[in-house]
Amino acid sequence: MNWKKSLRAAGLVAALTFSLVGCNTEGSYSPQEIIDQALQETKEPITYYGEYTMDMGDIGGKAQVKEWTKDGKRRIEMTAENGEHIITVNNGSQVIMYDVVKNTVHKMDMNGDGSNGFPSPRDQAESLFNLVKDTHDVKIAGEEKIAGRDTYKVVAKAKKDDTLIGDIEVWVDKKTWVTLKTITNSAGNKMTSEYTKLDDSAKIDDAQFTIDIPKDAKVEEIKVPQSESVTLDTVKEQLGEFLMVPEGNGLTLEGISLDKGIEDRSEYTFTYAKNGQPDISVTVFKANSNAKKVESIKGEKEMDIRGQKGTVMDENKFHCINWQENGYQYSMFIVDSKQTIEDLVAYAKQMTIVK
């Protein structure tokens, strides 16, 4: 599991909190009520055409975006300052991404629930606010106009400086509850998105959710990798000798899953429960001594683990220790929120070699 890459994407989650939909009601709201209202599902998804700018800072540069949304379907046309021009369509059953410059197409079938690794903007925003509700002070910072529309401005300020997800500012449209502007400081990178146009009375033709693909375009079908349940004997056969948290004192191994990580490497995750309740998970894979060292991210600190130089991430709802030992990379995560980093380190000390 490339957890550092996933964490760096946390800022993108914030930058993509568009299309938050809810019912419009009158009255005065607390910050939580505005957030709850903006995240609320509606029976009839909103239809609109929008244009916005994105500034993804050092990780992505700037881009101009056009967006069509109808009946849960979406079309996005992005033109970046580096010349990239990408059209992406979610037609409800498939995601199609056409790179106009490279003349390449990637297609991915979606699960029946419409997810398949592509969370909706509402899901992205809900995850973001759930992450910060305990670590940030959230307040209404006034009312402003964005793209000519009345909005509530909601500010979430981090309670401490050294945190993965920093300060967040969002401007929520009073009528549609669409997030019209977002500014985030996450993983040390500032990102801004801002609508310059939002037309919720636009008439959008269903043809917008198809792409005319040139005959000479290179088309690739993308299969979303699925976790595979494996036995301990399989892991032993593939890894040889490695460290494992032993069962005992109420701790039981609930299952082992195999996932494909970077460069198709095999990563094995051991999931444990204690007294019948989810407790910890441990991921192990063979370390690549030639791999480029991944730079640390904000909120990550060094820590001695089992006599090895390791790292710890102790953020709200994300607690993890990582280290290398005898040619293997280990990551241990808290599943039970009552656990602490000290508990993880104690588990690491208990690990024994299995053959």
Side-chain angles (χ1 to χ4, degrees):
M1 178 175 57
N2 189 7
W3 68 278
K4 288 191 178 181
K5 183 176 180 181
S6 299
L7 284 176
R8 286 191 172 85
L12 285 173
V13 171
L16 294 173
T17 54
F18 311 124
S19 314
L20 307 187
V21 182
C23 300
N24 183 29
T25 56
E26 298 295 332
S28 178
Y29 300 95
S30 69
Q32 188 60 51
E33 287 172 332
I34 291 177
I35 293 168
D36 290 343
Q37 190 72 24
L39 296 177
Q40 181 180 319
E41 290 279 15
T42 56
K43 293 181 180 179
E44 298 296 332
I46 189 174
T47 295
Y48 66 86
Y49 168 75
E51 297 178 3
Y52 57 90
T53 60
M54 293 185 69
D55 184 347
M56 293 177 283
D58 294 337
I59 68 172
K62 298 179 181 179
Q64 300 292 324
V65 184
K66 296 180 179 180
E67 175 189 20
W68 295 259
T69 301
K70 177 183 178 182
D71 298 331
K73 300 176 182 179
R74 243 174 139 215
R75 178 189 181 101
I76 295 177
E77 294 190 10
M78 183 191 75
T79 304
E81 62 180 356
N82 63 1
E84 284 185 317
H85 182 195
I86 297 175
I87 302 172
T88 304
V89 167
N90 174 347
N91 61 22
S93 61
Q94 193 176 53
V95 173
I96 304 170
M97 186 178 74
Y98 173 43
D99 189 317
V100 178
V101 177
K102 296 180 179 178
N103 199 27
T104 58
V105 178
H106 292 87
K107 297 182 177 181
M108 178 183 292
D109 292 333
M110 301 178 67
N111 291 329
D113 61 3
S115 58
N116 224 19
F118 286 86
S120 70
R122 174 197 167 278
D123 292 335
Q124 294 169 345
E126 185 171 25
S127 297
L128 176 68
F129 280 113
N130 282 337
L131 278 173
V132 304
K133 66 181 182 181
D134 296 326
T135 58
H136 289 58
D137 292 318
V138 183
K139 67 177 183 179
I140 297 176
E143 302 178 10
E144 297 180 13
K145 281 191 178 291
I146 302 294
R149 303 175 70 95
D150 293 326
T151 70
Y152 295 106
K153 180 180 178 181
V154 181
V155 175
K157 289 193 70 67
K159 295 178 181 178
K160 59 181 183 178
D161 294 332
D162 189 14
T163 182
L164 173 66
I165 300 177
D167 296 343
I168 299 171
E169 298 175 81
V170 293
W171 287 256
V172 182
D173 183 24
K174 288 186 178 182
K175 179 183 177 184
T176 63
W177 300 98
V178 171
T179 299
L180 295 181
K181 182 176 179 179
T182 306
I183 299 177
T184 65
N185 287 278
S186 300
N189 189 73
K190 182 178 180 179
M191 305 178 70
T192 303
S193 65
E194 181 174 358
Y195 277 82
T196 55
K197 180 176 183 179
L198 183 76
D199 183 0
D200 58 336
S201 62
K203 303 297 182 182
I204 298 178
D205 194 285
D206 288 338
Q208 287 287 0
F209 306 106
T210 61
I211 298 179
D212 293 326
I213 300 173
K215 292 182 179 180
D216 61 344
K218 181 181 179 181
V219 180
E220 180 181 350
E221 300 282 347
I222 299 177
K223 300 296 182 183
V224 178
Q226 301 293 324
S227 294
E228 176 187 349
S229 180
V230 295
T231 66
L232 180 56
D233 286 339
T234 298
V235 183
K236 291 178 181 178
E237 183 179 318
Q238 296 299 317
L239 294 184
E241 295 186 5
F242 64 95
L243 292 169
M244 178 178 168
V245 178
E247 296 180 280
N249 297 321
L251 188 71
T252 57
L253 178 62
E254 297 292 287
I256 307 172
S257 62
L258 166 64
D259 295 276
K260 292 298 182 180
I262 298 174
E263 297 178 348
D264 205 36
R265 72 187 176 204
S266 295
E267 302 182 1
Y268 299 92
T269 299
F270 295 70
T271 303
Y272 291 85
K274 190 164 188 177
N275 300 323
Q277 299 298 317
D279 196 62
I280 62 169
S281 68
V282 183
T283 297
V284 57
F285 57 86
K286 290 183 178 179
N288 181 358
S289 59
N290 296 321
K292 183 179 179 181
K293 183 180 179 181
V294 179
E295 63 185 66
S296 61
I297 60 178
K298 195 169 184 178
E300 184 182 16
K301 298 180 176 64
E302 292 187 356
M303 172 181 279
D304 182 87
I305 302 169
R306 291 180 52 87
Q308 310 295 322
K309 184 178 179 181
T311 61
V312 57
M313 175 67 71
D314 193 11
E315 292 283 335
N316 179 47
K317 297 192 177 182
F318 190 86
H319 313 275
C320 174
I321 58 175
N322 303 270
W323 75 100
Q324 283 190 21
E325 188 170 345
N326 296 328
Y328 293 92
Q329 176 72 43
Y330 296 90
S331 296
M332 189 179 296
F333 298 84
I334 291 176
V335 178
D336 179 6
S337 60
K338 296 178 182 179
Q339 293 280 26
T340 65
I341 290 297
E342 289 71 23
D343 293 322
L344 289 186
V345 174
Y347 275 131
K349 289 181 179 178
Q350 297 171 20
M351 296 176 81
T352 57
I353 293 177
V354 296
K355 302 178 181 180

